[in-house]
Amino acid sequence: MLRLSQNRLIIISSIFLTLFYNYKFFKDLILTYGFITSNIFYFLSVTVVLTLLIIFLLTLFSSKYTTKPILITIFTISAFTAYFMDSYSIVIDSEMIRNSLQTSFKESVDLFSFRLVLYVVFLAIIPSYIVYTTKINYKSLKGEIVSKLKTITLSLVIIFIIIFSFSKFYTSFFREHKPLRYNINPIYWIYSIGNYVHKTLDTAPSEIKDIGLDSKVVEEENEPKELIILVIGETARADRFSLNGYSKETNPLLKQEELVSFTNMSSCGTSTAHSVPCMFSIFPKDDYSYKKGASTKNVLDVLNNTQDVAILWRDNNSDSKGVALRVDYEDFQTPKTNSVCDEECRDEGMLVGLEDYIEKNKGRDILIVLHQMGNHGPAYYKRYPKEFEKFTPVCKTNQLENCTQEEISNAYDNAILYTDYFLSKAINFLKKYSKTHEAGLLYVSDHGESLGENGIYLHGMPYAIAPKAQTHVASLIWLDNGQMSHEYDRSKIKQNKDKEYSHDNLFDTLLGLFEVKTEVYKKELDILNEARKEH
């Protein structure tokens, strides 16, 4: 059994954390500044500063009862953080923490790999076991306080001296290369947890703020009722839709329909947990926060206030992220409710039985929201039935770094091909109602996805530095040839297909589709406003 002073255990642990959990950080640091002789001293200084920062933090919170639990927790979380940063270039910020906490077990299983096991064994279990079995020689209370003050003071003094000595380098590091800091393990994820707690605190007020209480449907008495399907896509990039010019034919069925694909749609965030509540929120992207979204009602509530719109949310993803708390909700992730399941339940199963809901709500406007599993990664090969494996060879592992760019793209594109089939099937379902309803389908993905470009995979990067692949999303609209043709001039919608739109437009576009009059409606944000015919 090891016997160490508390101070020595913290120093050894800090050196270990710096050297073995920061591969991504040091790799990006070297790539940013270049591996030349004159930079070696800078890199060494960063190593010392990072080690001293960790020593400072650990010493600050250390005590007879907290040192071991803190070290074991940090080794464990840092091991997972290192794996996801090294494997997928994922940044663990407050939004990624929120996304992780809202991820279902089924989605988490897709991230399991042998490489993850190695990280956990060597960077979590073994160090934690050593810490657990180490006998710490504690001094008297006074001795521990004096030792702690010495360590904290010395750490801060050396950090200050180093930064002052290499001031030009550190000025560049802090001002011009902020993204480098996102990869510092464990400093950044500790900061992110604090930020997450701050953002999330008191987000469940006893009263949720009402909006649009004056909302009412304004339409002619004998006018057919609206029947709208809103599909919330998952991880679908705009540049992977052949409707938008992609070289592979990923939309063979949708190209046969009279629809408009919006080529310039931006997402509100880079993760489902942020984007989904944001797109239904009254707040624009730049003014949206998790706190605001959770404490204010959304566009579904405004539609509900009219008492004329029946709303159903069916979910084949993790959940509605709080959006559908006050409307009819059905979970379609299990065979109990979803009749189209093989190795996993398929999106098309959400269409089964919708006739019954429509019949039940005869004489009412109807909004049906379908939340897809879509292209949820990294196991893209699981996201489609095998008959949709048109593009080969395919990456058949969740360890994307072990696949070629072509294999990853093919698996991802096959999942887009299945979305094409699903959307086409939804459109054909709606066509049956073209004589009795004003039918339409609106599709918008929650965020995009990085597929290995510049070594980045998946999504969830901080929006400010996220590549366009994670924010430029697929979106389209189909309006039927029957009753809807009296409402909208399709040619005008088509004229605006390349216009810059974002998730900010969804709130008002939905209100416009249902002809809702309310003080919270802004016609300038309604994508269809210019195409609406005067009655």
Side-chain angles (χ1 to χ4, degrees), residues 237-255 375 388 390-391 409-410 412-421:
R237 287 166 53 154
D239 63 358
R240 291 306 176 107
F241 270 47
S242 54
L243 289 173
N244 299 332
Y246 185 45
S247 57
K248 291 185 197 171
E249 185 58 88
T250 52
N251 303 125
L253 298 174
L254 288 177
K255 77 173 183 181
N375 277 55
F388 287 86
K390 174 183 173 183
F391 308 112
S409 285
N410 285 338
Y412 182 87
D413 292 341
N414 287 331
I416 294 287
L417 192 66
Y418 178 60
T419 286
D420 173 77
Y421 167 77

PDB file of all heavy atoms in Angstrom, residues 237-255 375 388 390-391 409-410 412-421:
ATOM      1  N   ARG A 237     -27.717  17.183 -42.490  1.00  0.00           N
ATOM      2  CA  ARG A 237     -27.018  18.296 -43.135  1.00  0.00           C
ATOM      3  C   ARG A 237     -27.709  18.685 -44.438  1.00  0.00           C
ATOM      4  O   ARG A 237     -28.120  17.822 -45.210  1.00  0.00           O
ATOM      5  CB  ARG A 237     -25.579  17.897 -43.447  1.00  0.00           C
ATOM      6  CG  ARG A 237     -24.680  17.802 -42.273  1.00  0.00           C
ATOM      7  CD  ARG A 237     -23.378  17.103 -42.557  1.00  0.00           C
ATOM      8  NE  ARG A 237     -22.614  17.628 -43.686  1.00  0.00           N
ATOM      9  CZ  ARG A 237     -21.294  17.510 -43.794  1.00  0.00           C
ATOM     10  NH1 ARG A 237     -20.599  16.904 -42.830  1.00  0.00           N
ATOM     11  NH2 ARG A 237     -20.659  17.996 -44.842  1.00  0.00           N
ATOM     12  N   ALA A 238     -27.790  19.977 -44.694  1.00  0.00           N
ATOM     13  CA  ALA A 238     -28.402  20.458 -45.939  1.00  0.00           C
ATOM     14  C   ALA A 238     -27.610  20.010 -47.153  1.00  0.00           C
ATOM     15  O   ALA A 238     -28.183  19.690 -48.202  1.00  0.00           O
ATOM     16  CB  ALA A 238     -28.497  21.976 -45.912  1.00  0.00           C
ATOM     17  N   ASP A 239     -26.280  19.961 -47.014  1.00  0.00           N
ATOM     18  CA  ASP A 239     -25.454  19.640 -48.183  1.00  0.00           C
ATOM     19  C   ASP A 239     -25.433  18.154 -48.522  1.00  0.00           C
ATOM     20  O   ASP A 239     -24.763  17.741 -49.458  1.00  0.00           O
ATOM     21  CB  ASP A 239     -24.021  20.157 -48.000  1.00  0.00           C
ATOM     22  CG  ASP A 239     -23.284  19.504 -46.833  1.00  0.00           C
ATOM     23  OD1 ASP A 239     -23.894  18.673 -46.130  1.00  0.00           O
ATOM     24  OD2 ASP A 239     -22.092  19.836 -46.622  1.00  0.00           O
ATOM     25  N   ARG A 240     -26.170  17.325 -47.759  1.00  0.00           N
ATOM     26  CA  ARG A 240     -26.272  15.903 -48.084  1.00  0.00           C
ATOM     27  C   ARG A 240     -27.633  15.554 -48.690  1.00  0.00           C
ATOM     28  O   ARG A 240     -27.925  14.380 -48.896  1.00  0.00           O
ATOM     29  CB  ARG A 240     -26.007  15.045 -46.840  1.00  0.00           C
ATOM     30  CG  ARG A 240     -24.556  15.098 -46.361  1.00  0.00           C
ATOM     31  CD  ARG A 240     -23.594  14.741 -47.478  1.00  0.00           C
ATOM     32  NE  ARG A 240     -22.217  14.857 -47.108  1.00  0.00           N
ATOM     33  CZ  ARG A 240     -21.403  13.829 -46.882  1.00  0.00           C
ATOM     34  NH1 ARG A 240     -21.859  12.596 -46.986  1.00  0.00           N
ATOM     35  NH2 ARG A 240     -20.145  14.029 -46.568  1.00  0.00           N
ATOM     36  N   PHE A 241     -28.440  16.567 -48.986  1.00  0.00           N
ATOM     37  CA  PHE A 241     -29.699  16.371 -49.706  1.00  0.00           C
ATOM     38  C   PHE A 241     -29.435  16.634 -51.187  1.00  0.00           C
ATOM     39  O   PHE A 241     -28.983  17.721 -51.547  1.00  0.00           O
ATOM     40  CB  PHE A 241     -30.773  17.336 -49.189  1.00  0.00           C
ATOM     41  CG  PHE A 241     -31.594  16.789 -48.057  1.00  0.00           C
ATOM     42  CD1 PHE A 241     -30.986  16.156 -46.980  1.00  0.00           C
ATOM     43  CD2 PHE A 241     -32.976  16.905 -48.056  1.00  0.00           C
ATOM     44  CE1 PHE A 241     -31.735  15.647 -45.922  1.00  0.00           C
ATOM     45  CE2 PHE A 241     -33.740  16.410 -47.011  1.00  0.00           C
ATOM     46  CZ  PHE A 241     -33.124  15.771 -45.940  1.00  0.00           C
ATOM     47  N   SER A 242     -29.718  15.642 -52.030  1.00  0.00           N
ATOM     48  CA  SER A 242     -29.530  15.861 -53.467  1.00  0.00           C
ATOM     49  C   SER A 242     -30.478  16.938 -53.983  1.00  0.00           C
ATOM     50  O   SER A 242     -30.223  17.551 -55.021  1.00  0.00           O
ATOM     51  CB  SER A 242     -29.713  14.554 -54.249  1.00  0.00           C
ATOM     52  OG  SER A 242     -30.956  13.941 -53.972  1.00  0.00           O
ATOM     53  N   LEU A 243     -31.566  17.206 -53.265  1.00  0.00           N
ATOM     54  CA  LEU A 243     -32.454  18.319 -53.624  1.00  0.00           C
ATOM     55  C   LEU A 243     -31.697  19.638 -53.623  1.00  0.00           C
ATOM     56  O   LEU A 243     -32.060  20.586 -54.322  1.00  0.00           O
ATOM     57  CB  LEU A 243     -33.607  18.423 -52.609  1.00  0.00           C
ATOM     58  CG  LEU A 243     -34.695  17.344 -52.620  1.00  0.00           C
ATOM     59  CD1 LEU A 243     -35.625  17.537 -51.431  1.00  0.00           C
ATOM     60  CD2 LEU A 243     -35.480  17.359 -53.925  1.00  0.00           C
ATOM     61  N   ASN A 244     -30.624  19.696 -52.824  1.00  0.00           N
ATOM     62  CA  ASN A 244     -29.816  20.919 -52.707  1.00  0.00           C
ATOM     63  C   ASN A 244     -28.548  20.866 -53.546  1.00  0.00           C
ATOM     64  O   ASN A 244     -27.655  21.703 -53.372  1.00  0.00           O
ATOM     65  CB  ASN A 244     -29.464  21.170 -51.242  1.00  0.00           C
ATOM     66  CG  ASN A 244     -30.680  21.368 -50.373  1.00  0.00           C
ATOM     67  OD1 ASN A 244     -31.718  21.824 -50.854  1.00  0.00           O
ATOM     68  ND2 ASN A 244     -30.583  21.032 -49.097  1.00  0.00           N
ATOM     69  N   GLY A 245     -28.454  19.857 -54.416  1.00  0.00           N
ATOM     70  CA  GLY A 245     -27.303  19.784 -55.321  1.00  0.00           C
ATOM     71  C   GLY A 245     -26.228  18.780 -54.950  1.00  0.00           C
ATOM     72  O   GLY A 245     -25.177  18.734 -55.581  1.00  0.00           O
ATOM     73  N   TYR A 246     -26.454  17.951 -53.929  1.00  0.00           N
ATOM     74  CA  TYR A 246     -25.473  16.930 -53.555  1.00  0.00           C
ATOM     75  C   TYR A 246     -25.326  15.923 -54.693  1.00  0.00           C
ATOM     76  O   TYR A 246     -26.310  15.530 -55.322  1.00  0.00           O
ATOM     77  CB  TYR A 246     -25.931  16.240 -52.275  1.00  0.00           C
ATOM     78  CG  TYR A 246     -24.962  15.233 -51.699  1.00  0.00           C
ATOM     79  CD1 TYR A 246     -23.599  15.510 -51.583  1.00  0.00           C
ATOM     80  CD2 TYR A 246     -25.419  13.995 -51.240  1.00  0.00           C
ATOM     81  CE1 TYR A 246     -22.719  14.594 -51.037  1.00  0.00           C
ATOM     82  CE2 TYR A 246     -24.546  13.069 -50.677  1.00  0.00           C
ATOM     83  CZ  TYR A 246     -23.197  13.367 -50.584  1.00  0.00           C
ATOM     84  OH  TYR A 246     -22.322  12.455 -50.043  1.00  0.00           O
ATOM     85  N   SER A 247     -24.106  15.503 -54.953  1.00  0.00           N
ATOM     86  CA  SER A 247     -23.832  14.662 -56.124  1.00  0.00           C
ATOM     87  C   SER A 247     -24.463  13.269 -56.048  1.00  0.00           C
ATOM     88  O   SER A 247     -24.851  12.694 -57.063  1.00  0.00           O
ATOM     89  CB  SER A 247     -22.318  14.524 -56.320  1.00  0.00           C
ATOM     90  OG  SER A 247     -21.719  13.987 -55.152  1.00  0.00           O
ATOM     91  N   LYS A 248     -24.584  12.717 -54.842  1.00  0.00           N
ATOM     92  CA  LYS A 248     -25.236  11.406 -54.704  1.00  0.00           C
ATOM     93  C   LYS A 248     -26.750  11.601 -54.661  1.00  0.00           C
ATOM     94  O   LYS A 248     -27.238  12.568 -54.071  1.00  0.00           O
ATOM     95  CB  LYS A 248     -24.784  10.717 -53.413  1.00  0.00           C
ATOM     96  CG  LYS A 248     -23.342  10.256 -53.399  1.00  0.00           C
ATOM     97  CD  LYS A 248     -23.107   9.492 -52.101  1.00  0.00           C
ATOM     98  CE  LYS A 248     -21.636   9.334 -51.789  1.00  0.00           C
ATOM     99  NZ  LYS A 248     -21.428   8.777 -50.442  1.00  0.00           N
ATOM    100  N   GLU A 249     -27.475  10.666 -55.230  1.00  0.00           N
ATOM    101  CA  GLU A 249     -28.937  10.764 -55.260  1.00  0.00           C
ATOM    102  C   GLU A 249     -29.513  10.281 -53.932  1.00  0.00           C
ATOM    103  O   GLU A 249     -29.860   9.113 -53.771  1.00  0.00           O
ATOM    104  CB  GLU A 249     -29.498   9.934 -56.429  1.00  0.00           C
ATOM    105  CG  GLU A 249     -31.000  10.066 -56.635  1.00  0.00           C
ATOM    106  CD  GLU A 249     -31.456  11.497 -56.872  1.00  0.00           C
ATOM    107  OE1 GLU A 249     -31.455  11.927 -58.028  1.00  0.00           O
ATOM    108  OE2 GLU A 249     -31.787  12.155 -55.870  1.00  0.00           O
ATOM    109  N   THR A 250     -29.603  11.199 -52.984  1.00  0.00           N
ATOM    110  CA  THR A 250     -30.118  10.838 -51.664  1.00  0.00           C
ATOM    111  C   THR A 250     -31.609  11.149 -51.510  1.00  0.00           C
ATOM    112  O   THR A 250     -32.215  10.791 -50.506  1.00  0.00           O
ATOM    113  CB  THR A 250     -29.345  11.582 -50.547  1.00  0.00           C
ATOM    114  OG1 THR A 250     -29.346  12.978 -50.851  1.00  0.00           O
ATOM    115  CG2 THR A 250     -27.915  11.082 -50.439  1.00  0.00           C
ATOM    116  N   ASN A 251     -32.185  11.819 -52.520  1.00  0.00           N
ATOM    117  CA  ASN A 251     -33.620  12.161 -52.466  1.00  0.00           C
ATOM    118  C   ASN A 251     -34.371  11.712 -53.715  1.00  0.00           C
ATOM    119  O   ASN A 251     -35.066  12.508 -54.357  1.00  0.00           O
ATOM    120  CB  ASN A 251     -33.806  13.676 -52.285  1.00  0.00           C
ATOM    121  CG  ASN A 251     -33.126  14.228 -51.063  1.00  0.00           C
ATOM    122  OD1 ASN A 251     -32.327  15.161 -51.142  1.00  0.00           O
ATOM    123  ND2 ASN A 251     -33.421  13.664 -49.895  1.00  0.00           N
ATOM    124  N   PRO A 252     -34.271  10.427 -54.086  1.00  0.00           N
ATOM    125  CA  PRO A 252     -34.923   9.959 -55.314  1.00  0.00           C
ATOM    126  C   PRO A 252     -36.445  10.071 -55.281  1.00  0.00           C
ATOM    127  O   PRO A 252     -37.076  10.249 -56.325  1.00  0.00           O
ATOM    128  CB  PRO A 252     -34.487   8.493 -55.413  1.00  0.00           C
ATOM    129  CG  PRO A 252     -34.160   8.089 -54.007  1.00  0.00           C
ATOM    130  CD  PRO A 252     -33.594   9.325 -53.375  1.00  0.00           C
ATOM    131  N   LEU A 253     -37.050   9.968 -54.096  1.00  0.00           N
ATOM    132  CA  LEU A 253     -38.509  10.018 -53.982  1.00  0.00           C
ATOM    133  C   LEU A 253     -39.006  11.458 -53.808  1.00  0.00           C
ATOM    134  O   LEU A 253     -40.000  11.856 -54.430  1.00  0.00           O
ATOM    135  CB  LEU A 253     -38.978   9.148 -52.811  1.00  0.00           C
ATOM    136  CG  LEU A 253     -38.647   7.653 -52.946  1.00  0.00           C
ATOM    137  CD1 LEU A 253     -39.020   6.905 -51.674  1.00  0.00           C
ATOM    138  CD2 LEU A 253     -39.373   7.046 -54.145  1.00  0.00           C
ATOM    139  N   LEU A 254     -38.323  12.232 -52.997  1.00  0.00           N
ATOM    140  CA  LEU A 254     -38.749  13.609 -52.772  1.00  0.00           C
ATOM    141  C   LEU A 254     -38.623  14.464 -54.028  1.00  0.00           C
ATOM    142  O   LEU A 254     -39.384  15.417 -54.214  1.00  0.00           O
ATOM    143  CB  LEU A 254     -37.935  14.241 -51.634  1.00  0.00           C
ATOM    144  CG  LEU A 254     -38.248  13.740 -50.218  1.00  0.00           C
ATOM    145  CD1 LEU A 254     -37.319  14.399 -49.210  1.00  0.00           C
ATOM    146  CD2 LEU A 254     -39.707  13.995 -49.836  1.00  0.00           C
ATOM    147  N   LYS A 255     -37.669  14.123 -54.897  1.00  0.00           N
ATOM    148  CA  LYS A 255     -37.501  14.933 -56.120  1.00  0.00           C
ATOM    149  C   LYS A 255     -38.702  14.799 -57.060  1.00  0.00           C
ATOM    150  O   LYS A 255     -38.896  15.614 -57.963  1.00  0.00           O
ATOM    151  CB  LYS A 255     -36.203  14.563 -56.835  1.00  0.00           C
ATOM    152  CG  LYS A 255     -36.231  13.278 -57.635  1.00  0.00           C
ATOM    153  CD  LYS A 255     -34.951  13.115 -58.437  1.00  0.00           C
ATOM    154  CE  LYS A 255     -34.998  11.873 -59.308  1.00  0.00           C
ATOM    155  NZ  LYS A 255     -33.764  11.682 -60.077  1.00  0.00           N
ATOM    156  N   ASN A 375     -30.630  10.643 -38.482  1.00  0.00           N
ATOM    157  CA  ASN A 375     -29.222  10.288 -38.715  1.00  0.00           C
ATOM    158  C   ASN A 375     -28.396  10.296 -37.430  1.00  0.00           C
ATOM    159  O   ASN A 375     -27.206  10.575 -37.451  1.00  0.00           O
ATOM    160  CB  ASN A 375     -28.591  11.277 -39.700  1.00  0.00           C
ATOM    161  CG  ASN A 375     -28.891  10.921 -41.133  1.00  0.00           C
ATOM    162  OD1 ASN A 375     -30.038  10.772 -41.509  1.00  0.00           O
ATOM    163  ND2 ASN A 375     -27.864  10.784 -41.943  1.00  0.00           N
ATOM    164  N   PHE A 388     -31.985  -0.127 -47.569  1.00  0.00           N
ATOM    165  CA  PHE A 388     -31.597   1.235 -47.942  1.00  0.00           C
ATOM    166  C   PHE A 388     -30.071   1.399 -48.021  1.00  0.00           C
ATOM    167  O   PHE A 388     -29.586   2.518 -48.182  1.00  0.00           O
ATOM    168  CB  PHE A 388     -32.191   2.243 -46.951  1.00  0.00           C
ATOM    169  CG  PHE A 388     -33.673   2.421 -47.114  1.00  0.00           C
ATOM    170  CD1 PHE A 388     -34.559   1.569 -46.465  1.00  0.00           C
ATOM    171  CD2 PHE A 388     -34.184   3.394 -47.949  1.00  0.00           C
ATOM    172  CE1 PHE A 388     -35.924   1.703 -46.626  1.00  0.00           C
ATOM    173  CE2 PHE A 388     -35.550   3.543 -48.120  1.00  0.00           C
ATOM    174  CZ  PHE A 388     -36.427   2.690 -47.461  1.00  0.00           C
ATOM    175  N   LYS A 390     -27.723   1.571 -50.075  1.00  0.00           N
ATOM    176  CA  LYS A 390     -27.448   1.790 -51.503  1.00  0.00           C
ATOM    177  C   LYS A 390     -25.993   2.195 -51.735  1.00  0.00           C
ATOM    178  O   LYS A 390     -25.367   1.798 -52.717  1.00  0.00           O
ATOM    179  CB  LYS A 390     -28.388   2.879 -52.033  1.00  0.00           C
ATOM    180  CG  LYS A 390     -28.125   3.311 -53.474  1.00  0.00           C
ATOM    181  CD  LYS A 390     -29.072   4.451 -53.852  1.00  0.00           C
ATOM    182  CE  LYS A 390     -28.720   5.012 -55.232  1.00  0.00           C
ATOM    183  NZ  LYS A 390     -29.584   6.163 -55.589  1.00  0.00           N
ATOM    184  N   PHE A 391     -25.469   3.008 -50.840  1.00  0.00           N
ATOM    185  CA  PHE A 391     -24.104   3.515 -50.990  1.00  0.00           C
ATOM    186  C   PHE A 391     -23.151   2.653 -50.167  1.00  0.00           C
ATOM    187  O   PHE A 391     -23.316   2.508 -48.959  1.00  0.00           O
ATOM    188  CB  PHE A 391     -24.029   4.972 -50.552  1.00  0.00           C
ATOM    189  CG  PHE A 391     -25.055   5.863 -51.210  1.00  0.00           C
ATOM    190  CD1 PHE A 391     -26.089   6.417 -50.471  1.00  0.00           C
ATOM    191  CD2 PHE A 391     -24.997   6.123 -52.572  1.00  0.00           C
ATOM    192  CE1 PHE A 391     -27.043   7.222 -51.063  1.00  0.00           C
ATOM    193  CE2 PHE A 391     -25.947   6.930 -53.184  1.00  0.00           C
ATOM    194  CZ  PHE A 391     -26.981   7.474 -52.431  1.00  0.00           C
ATOM    195  N   SER A 409     -19.279   8.568 -44.908  1.00  0.00           N
ATOM    196  CA  SER A 409     -20.227   9.292 -45.759  1.00  0.00           C
ATOM    197  C   SER A 409     -21.315   8.368 -46.293  1.00  0.00           C
ATOM    198  O   SER A 409     -22.490   8.744 -46.321  1.00  0.00           O
ATOM    199  CB  SER A 409     -19.496   9.944 -46.946  1.00  0.00           C
ATOM    200  OG  SER A 409     -18.793  11.081 -46.526  1.00  0.00           O
ATOM    201  N   ASN A 410     -20.937   7.182 -46.710  1.00  0.00           N
ATOM    202  CA  ASN A 410     -21.915   6.246 -47.262  1.00  0.00           C
ATOM    203  C   ASN A 410     -22.955   5.826 -46.223  1.00  0.00           C
ATOM    204  O   ASN A 410     -24.157   5.784 -46.505  1.00  0.00           O
ATOM    205  CB  ASN A 410     -21.215   5.000 -47.816  1.00  0.00           C
ATOM    206  CG  ASN A 410     -20.512   5.265 -49.136  1.00  0.00           C
ATOM    207  OD1 ASN A 410     -20.851   6.217 -49.840  1.00  0.00           O
ATOM    208  ND2 ASN A 410     -19.542   4.432 -49.479  1.00  0.00           N
ATOM    209  N   TYR A 412     -23.818   7.505 -43.547  1.00  0.00           N
ATOM    210  CA  TYR A 412     -24.614   8.702 -43.265  1.00  0.00           C
ATOM    211  C   TYR A 412     -25.620   8.954 -44.391  1.00  0.00           C
ATOM    212  O   TYR A 412     -26.798   9.235 -44.135  1.00  0.00           O
ATOM    213  CB  TYR A 412     -23.677   9.902 -43.096  1.00  0.00           C
ATOM    214  CG  TYR A 412     -24.376  11.194 -42.755  1.00  0.00           C
ATOM    215  CD1 TYR A 412     -24.647  11.532 -41.433  1.00  0.00           C
ATOM    216  CD2 TYR A 412     -24.770  12.084 -43.759  1.00  0.00           C
ATOM    217  CE1 TYR A 412     -25.294  12.727 -41.109  1.00  0.00           C
ATOM    218  CE2 TYR A 412     -25.421  13.267 -43.454  1.00  0.00           C
ATOM    219  CZ  TYR A 412     -25.675  13.583 -42.127  1.00  0.00           C
ATOM    220  OH  TYR A 412     -26.323  14.764 -41.824  1.00  0.00           O
ATOM    221  N   ASP A 413     -25.158   8.835 -45.637  1.00  0.00           N
ATOM    222  CA  ASP A 413     -26.025   9.095 -46.794  1.00  0.00           C
ATOM    223  C   ASP A 413     -27.141   8.064 -46.925  1.00  0.00           C
ATOM    224  O   ASP A 413     -28.245   8.388 -47.376  1.00  0.00           O
ATOM    225  CB  ASP A 413     -25.198   9.137 -48.081  1.00  0.00           C
ATOM    226  CG  ASP A 413     -24.271  10.340 -48.137  1.00  0.00           C
ATOM    227  OD1 ASP A 413     -24.516  11.312 -47.388  1.00  0.00           O
ATOM    228  OD2 ASP A 413     -23.294  10.320 -48.909  1.00  0.00           O
ATOM    229  N   ASN A 414     -26.870   6.833 -46.528  1.00  0.00           N
ATOM    230  CA  ASN A 414     -27.931   5.812 -46.536  1.00  0.00           C
ATOM    231  C   ASN A 414     -29.038   6.176 -45.548  1.00  0.00           C
ATOM    232  O   ASN A 414     -30.220   5.928 -45.800  1.00  0.00           O
ATOM    233  CB  ASN A 414     -27.356   4.437 -46.180  1.00  0.00           C
ATOM    234  CG  ASN A 414     -26.519   3.854 -47.305  1.00  0.00           C
ATOM    235  OD1 ASN A 414     -26.755   4.132 -48.473  1.00  0.00           O
ATOM    236  ND2 ASN A 414     -25.522   3.052 -46.961  1.00  0.00           N
ATOM    237  N   ALA A 415     -28.650   6.768 -44.424  1.00  0.00           N
ATOM    238  CA  ALA A 415     -29.648   7.213 -43.434  1.00  0.00           C
ATOM    239  C   ALA A 415     -30.468   8.382 -43.988  1.00  0.00           C
ATOM    240  O   ALA A 415     -31.668   8.484 -43.734  1.00  0.00           O
ATOM    241  CB  ALA A 415     -28.967   7.588 -42.125  1.00  0.00           C
ATOM    242  N   ILE A 416     -29.821   9.262 -44.767  1.00  0.00           N
ATOM    243  CA  ILE A 416     -30.553  10.350 -45.440  1.00  0.00           C
ATOM    244  C   ILE A 416     -31.536   9.755 -46.452  1.00  0.00           C
ATOM    245  O   ILE A 416     -32.672  10.215 -46.596  1.00  0.00           O
ATOM    246  CB  ILE A 416     -29.577  11.314 -46.153  1.00  0.00           C
ATOM    247  CG1 ILE A 416     -28.688  12.062 -45.148  1.00  0.00           C
ATOM    248  CG2 ILE A 416     -30.342  12.302 -47.041  1.00  0.00           C
ATOM    249  CD1 ILE A 416     -29.378  13.147 -44.344  1.00  0.00           C
ATOM    250  N   LEU A 417     -31.099   8.709 -47.142  1.00  0.00           N
ATOM    251  CA  LEU A 417     -31.949   8.018 -48.115  1.00  0.00           C
ATOM    252  C   LEU A 417     -33.203   7.459 -47.442  1.00  0.00           C
ATOM    253  O   LEU A 417     -34.304   7.496 -48.008  1.00  0.00           O
ATOM    254  CB  LEU A 417     -31.148   6.886 -48.763  1.00  0.00           C
ATOM    255  CG  LEU A 417     -31.735   6.209 -50.006  1.00  0.00           C
ATOM    256  CD1 LEU A 417     -31.788   7.180 -51.181  1.00  0.00           C
ATOM    257  CD2 LEU A 417     -30.902   4.995 -50.388  1.00  0.00           C
ATOM    258  N   TYR A 418     -33.053   6.970 -46.224  1.00  0.00           N
ATOM    259  CA  TYR A 418     -34.207   6.457 -45.491  1.00  0.00           C
ATOM    260  C   TYR A 418     -35.134   7.604 -45.061  1.00  0.00           C
ATOM    261  O   TYR A 418     -36.362   7.469 -45.093  1.00  0.00           O
ATOM    262  CB  TYR A 418     -33.769   5.640 -44.272  1.00  0.00           C
ATOM    263  CG  TYR A 418     -34.941   5.120 -43.464  1.00  0.00           C
ATOM    264  CD1 TYR A 418     -35.886   4.280 -44.039  1.00  0.00           C
ATOM    265  CD2 TYR A 418     -35.123   5.499 -42.141  1.00  0.00           C
ATOM    266  CE1 TYR A 418     -36.979   3.815 -43.315  1.00  0.00           C
ATOM    267  CE2 TYR A 418     -36.209   5.049 -41.406  1.00  0.00           C
ATOM    268  CZ  TYR A 418     -37.136   4.205 -42.003  1.00  0.00           C
ATOM    269  OH  TYR A 418     -38.221   3.764 -41.294  1.00  0.00           O
ATOM    270  N   THR A 419     -34.554   8.741 -44.683  1.00  0.00           N
ATOM    271  CA  THR A 419     -35.369   9.920 -44.370  1.00  0.00           C
ATOM    272  C   THR A 419     -36.151  10.356 -45.598  1.00  0.00           C
ATOM    273  O   THR A 419     -37.318  10.761 -45.498  1.00  0.00           O
ATOM    274  CB  THR A 419     -34.484  11.068 -43.839  1.00  0.00           C
ATOM    275  OG1 THR A 419     -34.074  10.764 -42.500  1.00  0.00           O
ATOM    276  CG2 THR A 419     -35.218  12.396 -43.820  1.00  0.00           C
ATOM    277  N   ASP A 420     -35.524  10.273 -46.758  1.00  0.00           N
ATOM    278  CA  ASP A 420     -36.212  10.580 -48.022  1.00  0.00           C
ATOM    279  C   ASP A 420     -37.459   9.705 -48.177  1.00  0.00           C
ATOM    280  O   ASP A 420     -38.548  10.192 -48.507  1.00  0.00           O
ATOM    281  CB  ASP A 420     -35.250  10.349 -49.194  1.00  0.00           C
ATOM    282  CG  ASP A 420     -35.917  10.473 -50.557  1.00  0.00           C
ATOM    283  OD1 ASP A 420     -36.163  11.607 -50.999  1.00  0.00           O
ATOM    284  OD2 ASP A 420     -36.202   9.421 -51.177  1.00  0.00           O
ATOM    285  N   TYR A 421     -37.296   8.422 -47.898  1.00  0.00           N
ATOM    286  CA  TYR A 421     -38.411   7.464 -47.989  1.00  0.00           C
ATOM    287  C   TYR A 421     -39.490   7.804 -46.957  1.00  0.00           C
ATOM    288  O   TYR A 421     -40.694   7.816 -47.266  1.00  0.00           O
ATOM    289  CB  TYR A 421     -37.878   6.047 -47.759  1.00  0.00           C
ATOM    290  CG  TYR A 421     -38.944   5.005 -47.515  1.00  0.00           C
ATOM    291  CD1 TYR A 421     -39.697   4.489 -48.570  1.00  0.00           C
ATOM    292  CD2 TYR A 421     -39.203   4.542 -46.223  1.00  0.00           C
ATOM    293  CE1 TYR A 421     -40.685   3.532 -48.345  1.00  0.00           C
ATOM    294  CE2 TYR A 421     -40.185   3.597 -45.988  1.00  0.00           C
ATOM    295  CZ  TYR A 421     -40.915   3.098 -47.046  1.00  0.00           C
ATOM    296  OH  TYR A 421     -41.896   2.153 -46.815  1.00  0.00           O
TER     297      TYR A 421
END
